[in-house]
Amino acid sequence: MSTTSEKPTSASFAALRGQLHEAAAEFAGGQDALEGILLGMVDDVDRAAAEPLEIFPVCHHSPSSALAMARRLREKQPKVVYLELCEDMAPLLTELRNCRLPVAVQAFASDIDGFPPDWAPLSVVAPITEASAEYQAIAYALDTPGVDLVLVDRSSDHVFQWDTRQPADGETHTAGTETEPTAGTEPEPTAGTEPEAALHGEAVGVEIGDLRPRFAELEEHLLRHGKVRHWSEWWHQYVEVPLGDSDHDTYRQVMFLIGSLFRRLAPGRGERVRVDEDRERYMWTRMREHLTATGTDPADCLYVCGAFHAASHVDEFGVHGTGDFAISPRTATTWQYGLIPSSHAAIEAQFGLASGSVSIAATEWAKNLKRTRVKPYRLEGQSGTKKPSAKKTAAKAPAATPTSVPAPDLASGPTEDRLTGFLRQPPVLHTLDEAELLGWSVDIVCAARRSGYLASTADAIAVFETSILLAAMRDRAKPTPYDFQDAAVTCIEKDTVPGRRDVRRLVEIMMGGDRIGQVGYDALPPLARDVHDRLAPLELNLQQRGVRRALLDMASRPELRACSDVLWMLRRLLPPGAARTVMGERRLGERSIQESWDLSLGTHQRALIELGYEGVSLEQVLEQRLRRAAYGPQATTAEVLAAVEDATLYLGGRRLAEELGTRALEVLAGERTVDGAPAVLRRVRGLLAYYRTSEPVLPPWIESFVRAGYAHYCTLLPTAFRDEDATVGQVAAMLGFLFSMESLALSLGCDRTQLELAVAQSHPNDPAKTALLWAAQVQLGTLSRGELRGRCDELLGNPLVVPSYPRYLSGFVHALEPVPGLADVVVEAVSNAFGRLPDPVLLPWLPTLITTLRSNAADLAPLIVREAGRIFPARLAALDTWVPPWHAQPVARAPLAAPRGAALLPLHPETCDAVADLLGCTDGWAPADGPTTGTTASTGAALLFAHRATCDAVADLLGCGDPWTPVASALPVSAPLTTRHPATAHAVAALLATP
């Protein structure tokens, strides 16, 4: 790589070189390091100024750069403007006229190819404000006929190809800005604290003219000796103000000098320096290609770039550069482009600027225009700007047309030295503008009172005097906005902040506020325009920032149902605050007839625009996201079922739901844990209830899911009972799936024996899971309720087990999920504990019980409360005489022999045979001397003694109310029944005679 010392130097800066040589010899003690830096800076200025293709160095969002740019464009009228901006963003620049600045040009890629998958989505933004040199160049080139605007910086794809934010361990980091703040600077206390600071999201920011020291010690030295708090204040005081009234040559040479200084004092030659040099090679290669292809004279061109890049040392520098840089091809990633709203706070937060610095720069830009009467360039039809009248335009027009002033020929002779005079001249002492400072003091007191501060006229006077005092302490004749801000904080804020905003933020708002841009309707992507068109019946200005209340009465206006569908999809796709429901809900099988919404689509315009990068309609974007969630490598069964539910709720139809349901079946078959069992149970129950009420038959996928889930959870059940990582809630959800889906699973061909074997093979060690296993055994019939009550009594009677009794209760409470019929047993277990345990044991044990139930079974506690309300007396007075049902004595019955309806059996043996077949009895009729004393008794009569409840039920259906007869008169005749109940006998005879 060639250096400036290898190139011949002109005599333009000979005097300055001699002075710097003498200064280096005097202060550096004869060392060559300082002399090399100082003389090298002059060489860099000389080299950049002598370049035939005029280089215009700028600093991002600098009012002085924008002012100098507007002057130079009107004077030179270049035919080609080369701009340091991603070359693939050029087609979007014409849409800036449909927006209200500030906005950001964005390149977005959701489906990436050639980058690590965890980088997705990729996003690059380039914010543009009116008080910036790049906007002046863009507006001039787009509205001036015959002028070409050529973007020459690397593409958005190359931004990530050259990404240097990968540590050696391979972990990827996508920082929010390409220009990192310098280490060692003071943190900005309020930058990024407002919601508007997140307008750029996680995008990588690119900007024109990042001009900040990369040498931490240098920045610290400048801040300390400049008596300022942060870099933005130093730049405003020592660069912006002096350059505001300078001529073109002086401005260029000073910016070249600053860029060379920061470049030569950058520490080391790391990856960032390599990327900067590659960018410079890229830009000069593109410019030479364009010059060769079009045959344009370099004297008719203007190259707008950052001052840091203007002092480049690469071989490709200049139109006569010798380097041959090979530009790598782009990856296969598909990039989409659009405009998103930006704000001053978002720019400050992304690029590490002081809070309020961009707003102060915008205020300085307006003051400079008014003071210098320079006419800036604005895009024709630019939203948010007033069109000047013809009279005012004619009055303010210069005497000579811009084309009448010839541009200087930079290659015709040596450059005139303007640096020496600029560096020698004393600082301009601006006189105090008392009216301006007094107005600031009054305005900040008024703003503070509106925000809850107890400010008065005395505070305004104090702010006025303190601002002057601080400026004098910092060697300033005129207080800057930063001095005024410090004075306001000192005099008004005191020690507390009564409102949401502190005094520092109030000063920023007063100085110009956080101007927030807006993308116009014509510049929106098709999806965003489609959303606004479909919501037009609401008759709301959804482009405006803030919250808008939408009332939808679908009963009187059925056309609003389409708006409701759009709003529910927006609620699903956008951030929470974009579309928030006040009234109304949408669940499976339920639709509201009236809804109320709080909409803030204007505030969340960036999120809506980025949806447009994913598809052309909301339905397409939602379907893509559901598929992405369902087919992701880390997708769980619960997540896929959630996608099925969302597809049914928002998209309708069965095509996508069936496809995702089949995917859920595949994911379930591959799972080896039960972590998602509660969510799976909840969603499958909801889907089954919906399909049973809205579809004639169940979809095939859900039948297959129930069948596979039954076998899957039966297989995992013994392991889950022993696994320490599986919680009792997860095991309870498994049992809930098995028991609640059992009837459907058995009808689909599953075997109940598999569940019985799984429960029999389960041997938990945890008390909660043990109680859960007992509940499952009760449900299967292998354990009676009496035995379960006996085990609970044994637990309370064992002093060693009493401390862990709350965990048993937790298992019983979770058992209400699969076995809700055990609610009375759980209430009994809790009541016995409170009744039997003494206070010394109960009081230390009680907090553990409460915390256990609250943390593990809060959603099931209402079942216990409802059951307790049913069992316990409703009146306090009845509690003294109340006896718990589990303590009541059973009523003794007299010995019973033959049932009430036994006399009917000899007359109707076919009925007895049918009942015997239902009950599984295959014995034939017994002889007359069988178990009953009669002449023609049936062996089915023996069933009546074994199943007396069944006999009673049959007798009640037949209208027979006779009690059980003694054994002595078992079954002699049936005449008394027919005599007492003739109507019943005729009814039975009629039924038996019916074919």
Side-chain angles (χ1 to χ4, degrees):
M1 182 183 71
S2 62
T3 62
T4 56
S5 59
E6 299 172 357
K7 294 184 179 291
T9 59
S10 66
S12 302
F13 300 92
L16 181 59
R17 287 190 179 92
Q19 295 174 10
L20 294 178
H21 178 77
E22 296 175 0
E26 179 179 354
F27 293 103
Q31 297 295 328
D32 295 333
L34 179 59
E35 181 180 359
I37 293 176
L38 295 178
L39 297 182
M41 290 163 51
V42 180
D43 293 340
D44 292 341
V45 174
D46 192 8
R47 182 190 187 204
E51 173 60 35
L53 196 160
E54 181 179 347
I55 303 174
F56 195 96
V58 299
C59 176
H60 61 82
H61 312 298
S62 168
S64 62
S65 294
L67 191 65
M69 174 64 71
R71 286 172 173 167
R72 185 56 179 166
L73 289 173
R74 293 197 179 278
E75 176 183 328
K76 181 179 176 67
Q77 293 288 305
K79 298 179 181 179
V80 178
V81 176
Y82 297 114
L83 186 62
E84 180 197 336
L85 193 63
C86 296
E87 59 182 1
D88 53 338
M89 293 182 176
L92 278 177
L93 299 182
T94 57
E95 296 294 339
L96 289 175
R97 67 179 75 251
N98 297 319
C99 306
R100 185 175 69 242
L101 300 181
V103 296
V105 186
Q106 183 183 37
F108 187 91
S110 55
D111 297 328
I112 61 176
D113 185 1
F115 299 105
D118 55 348
W119 284 20
L122 305 179
S123 180
V124 180
V125 296
I128 298 176
T129 63
E130 188 176 355
S132 59
E134 57 264 36
Y135 176 73
Q136 295 299 308
I138 292 171
Y140 162 78
L142 294 182
D143 283 350
T144 304
V147 177
D148 292 336
L149 178 64
V150 183
L151 306 187
V152 294
D153 199 3
R154 55 181 175 166
S155 66
S156 303
D157 197 90
H158 287 91
V159 169
F160 290 94
Q161 285 189 34
W162 299 351
D163 194 345
T164 60
R165 290 158 293 162
Q166 288 194 67
D169 57 359
E171 182 183 357
T172 58
H173 299 276
T174 55
T177 176
E178 193 182 41
T179 56
E180 303 168 2
T182 306
T185 59
E186 295 182 7
E188 310 301 341
T190 59
T193 57
E194 294 293 322
E196 291 78 9
L199 285 179
H200 295 172
E202 299 298 326
V204 173
V206 293
E207 57 185 348
I208 299 178
D210 170 38
L211 205 55
R212 185 169 182 172
R214 299 183 181 180
F215 191 36
E217 288 76 5
L218 172 62
E219 182 170 339
E220 182 181 358
H221 176 83
L222 295 175
L223 298 182
R224 183 175 66 254
H225 290 275
K227 299 180 181 179
V228 295
R229 292 179 293 110
H230 44 69
W231 174 251
S232 299
E233 185 176 359
W234 186 93
W235 181 267
H236 171 84
Q237 178 67 24
Y238 296 99
V239 180
E240 284 291 332
V241 175
L243 286 180
D245 297 326
S246 61
D247 59 89
H248 173 63
D249 290 336
T250 303
Y251 168 82
R252 290 181 69 223
Q253 293 176 20
V254 170
M255 294 295 286
F256 288 150
L257 183 68
I258 296 175
S260 176
L261 172 65
F262 293 165
R263 189 182 191 100
R264 288 183 175 274
L265 293 183
R269 291 191 51 80
E271 287 295 321
R272 187 175 179 186
V273 175
R274 181 190 62 81
V275 171
D276 287 332
E277 292 179 348
D278 285 345
R279 291 179 62 189
E280 293 156 4
R281 296 186 178 98
Y282 194 108
M283 290 187 286
W284 281 108
T285 300
R286 289 302 192 201
M287 285 186 284
R288 286 201 300 270
E289 290 176 354
H290 182 268
L291 291 173
T292 303
T294 60
T296 307
D297 185 359
D300 296 330
C301 303
L302 187 68
Y303 172 35
V304 183
C305 68
F308 188 88
H309 298 297
S312 176
H313 299 161
V314 297
D315 296 337
E316 288 80 2
F317 180 86
V319 294
H320 303 297
T322 59
D324 186 13
F325 180 68
I327 299 176
S328 61
R330 301 181 188 180
T331 64
T333 299
T334 302
W335 289 90
Q336 302 184 57
Y337 304 91
L339 297 170
I340 63 173
S342 183
S343 68
H344 293 169
I347 297 172
E348 293 159 0
Q350 187 168 49
F351 297 108
L353 304 177
S355 178
S357 60
V358 179
S359 298
I360 293 175
T363 304
E364 289 293 322
W365 162 252
K367 291 172 59 178
N368 289 342
L369 292 180
K370 185 177 181 180
R371 177 175 52 85
T372 61
R373 295 183 177 273
V374 173
K375 182 181 178 182
Y377 286 95
R378 289 188 176 94
L379 287 171
E380 184 179 356
Q382 180 73 64
S383 177
T385 60
K386 295 182 179 180
K387 185 177 181 181
S389 61
K391 295 182 178 180
K392 293 183 179 180
T393 304
K396 293 184 179 181
T401 59
T403 57
S404 63
V405 180
D409 188 359
L410 299 179
S412 60
T415 305
E416 183 180 355
D417 180 11
R418 299 294 181 89
L419 270 179
T420 304
F422 180 83
L423 296 176
R424 281 184 173 181
Q425 69 181 10
V428 179
L429 297 179
H430 296 277
T431 59
L432 173 63
D433 190 347
E434 293 187 0
E436 180 186 51
L437 183 59
L438 185 59
W440 289 355
S441 303
V442 173
D443 291 343
I444 189 58
V445 168
C446 294
R449 290 182 64 86
R450 288 193 298 267
S451 297
Y453 290 90
L454 298 177
S456 62
T457 305
D459 293 308
I461 298 174
V463 173
F464 181 86
E465 298 294 342
T466 306
S467 301
I468 299 175
L469 178 62
L470 287 176
M473 294 174 60
R474 296 166 179 173
D475 297 332
R476 302 169 188 168
K478 178 183 178 181
T480 66
Y482 298 99
D483 297 328
F484 171 76
Q485 187 179 56
D486 294 340
V489 172
T490 303
C491 299
I492 297 177
E493 188 165 296
K494 308 297 189 301
D495 56 347
T496 59
V497 178
R500 186 171 65 93
R501 294 186 175 97
D502 56 9
V503 174
R504 189 175 301 277
R505 180 60 180 159
L506 294 177
V507 173
E508 296 168 6
I509 296 174
M510 189 192 71
M511 288 293 177
D514 183 15
R515 188 173 302 171
I516 301 172
Q518 184 184 54
V519 180
Y521 176 85
D522 295 331
L524 292 174
L527 181 143
R529 293 200 300 267
D530 179 63
V531 168
H532 285 286
D533 294 341
R534 295 168 69 177
L535 295 180
L538 298 180
E539 299 177 356
L540 297 174
N541 185 9
L542 299 179
Q543 283 277 76
Q544 189 175 357
R545 292 181 60 85
V547 179
R548 298 289 178 269
R549 176 64 58 88
L551 303 176
L552 285 74
D553 185 3
M554 277 79 74
S556 60
R557 298 182 60 186
E559 67 273 11
L560 294 181
R561 293 190 179 275
C563 297
S564 176
D565 295 337
V566 174
L567 293 177
W568 282 107
M569 285 188 286
L570 290 176
R571 182 177 180 269
R572 170 65 172 76
L573 295 172
L574 293 180
R580 184 177 64 87
T581 55
V582 179
M583 181 184 68
E585 61 180 355
R586 174 164 292 194
R587 294 187 295 182
L588 289 175
E590 297 183 9
R591 294 292 186 274
S592 302
I593 60 174
Q594 288 184 337
E595 295 176 354
S596 178
W597 292 80
D598 279 346
L599 304 178
S600 56
L601 298 184
T603 305
H604 296 82
Q605 194 179 45
R606 178 185 66 84
L608 180 61
I609 290 173
E610 289 183 351
L611 283 183
Y613 300 150
E614 302 182 43
V616 296
S617 66
L618 287 176
E619 289 80 4
Q620 181 186 6
V621 173
L622 181 57
E623 181 173 344
Q624 289 177 357
R625 289 195 179 184
L626 293 178
R627 291 180 186 275
R628 192 181 304 119
Y631 288 92
Q634 304 297 327
T636 62
T637 306
E639 293 174 350
V640 181
L641 290 177
V644 175
E645 185 175 341
D646 289 344
T648 306
L649 275 178
Y650 304 121
L651 299 178
R654 298 182 57 175
R655 175 189 57 83
L656 181 61
E658 291 180 355
E659 177 185 344
L660 298 180
T662 305
R663 171 61 180 171
L665 184 62
E666 299 173 359
V667 176
L668 178 67
E671 286 186 348
R672 294 297 178 265
T673 63
V674 295
D675 296 341
V680 170
L681 173 63
R682 183 177 67 255
R683 297 195 180 278
V684 168
R685 280 179 174 174
L687 289 169
L688 272 175
Y690 168 73
Y691 286 129
R692 282 170 172 167
T693 56
S694 61
E695 301 286 344
V697 294
L698 291 178
W701 77 265
I702 201 167
E703 292 183 351
S704 302
F705 187 89
V706 171
R707 184 168 55 249
Y710 189 87
H712 178 73
Y713 285 132
C714 283
T715 303
L716 296 180
L717 189 62
T719 305
F721 267 112
R722 295 296 300 270
D723 189 4
E724 296 181 356
D725 295 333
T727 64
V728 62
Q730 295 169 354
V731 180
M734 294 175 60
L735 291 174
F737 183 95
L738 294 172
F739 290 147
S740 61
M741 309 290 170
E742 184 178 15
S743 59
L744 178 59
L746 295 180
S747 67
L748 295 175
C750 295
D751 189 0
R752 194 170 192 263
T753 306
Q754 187 176 6
L755 175 58
E756 295 174 349
L757 291 176
V759 173
Q761 294 173 359
S762 302
H763 304 286
N765 297 323
D766 183 69
K769 292 182 181 179
T770 301
L772 191 61
L773 177 62
W774 293 347
Q777 292 173 347
V778 171
Q779 179 70 13
L780 292 176
T782 59
L783 183 68
S784 64
R785 286 174 171 260
E787 294 174 339
L788 180 61
R789 289 188 172 94
R791 293 183 180 182
C792 293
D793 291 338
E794 293 178 2
L795 295 176
L796 287 176
N798 189 344
L800 299 178
V801 182
V802 167
S804 61
Y805 192 74
R807 300 178 62 186
Y808 284 95
L809 288 181
S810 176
F812 283 130
V813 173
H814 279 95
L816 298 181
E817 178 74 47
V819 192
L822 283 181
D824 58 336
V825 178
V826 178
V827 172
E828 177 183 348
V830 175
S831 301
N832 288 337
F834 279 88
R836 292 176 54 179
L837 294 178
D839 290 345
V841 177
L842 182 62
L843 292 180
W845 174 77
L846 191 58
T848 305
L849 172 65
I850 296 175
T851 56
T852 302
L853 294 179
R854 176 180 295 178
S855 60
N856 298 333
D859 54 337
L860 298 173
L863 294 176
I864 307 175
V865 175
R866 187 163 53 249
E867 183 66 20
R870 187 187 67 83
I871 295 176
F872 287 94
R875 300 287 182 179
L876 183 61
L879 189 61
D880 296 334
T881 58
W882 175 73
V883 178
W886 50 86
H887 289 169
Q889 296 295 328
V891 180
R893 289 189 176 184
L896 300 178
R900 293 177 293 177
L904 294 174
L905 298 180
L907 300 178
H908 307 288
E910 296 83 359
T911 304
C912 183
D913 291 339
V915 174
D917 291 339
L918 290 175
L919 297 177
C921 181
T922 57
D923 296 337
W925 287 85
D929 55 352
T932 59
T933 59
T935 56
T936 58
S938 157
T939 55
L943 293 173
L944 302 179
F945 294 93
H947 306 284
R948 297 180 179 180
T950 303
C951 181
D952 290 339
V954 174
D956 291 338
L957 289 175
L958 298 177
C960 179
D962 292 340
W964 288 77
T965 57
V967 180
S969 59
L971 297 173
V973 292
S974 61
L977 288 175
T978 57
T979 304
R980 295 176 184 177
H981 308 284
T984 303
H986 291 303
V988 173
L991 290 174
L992 295 176
T994 302

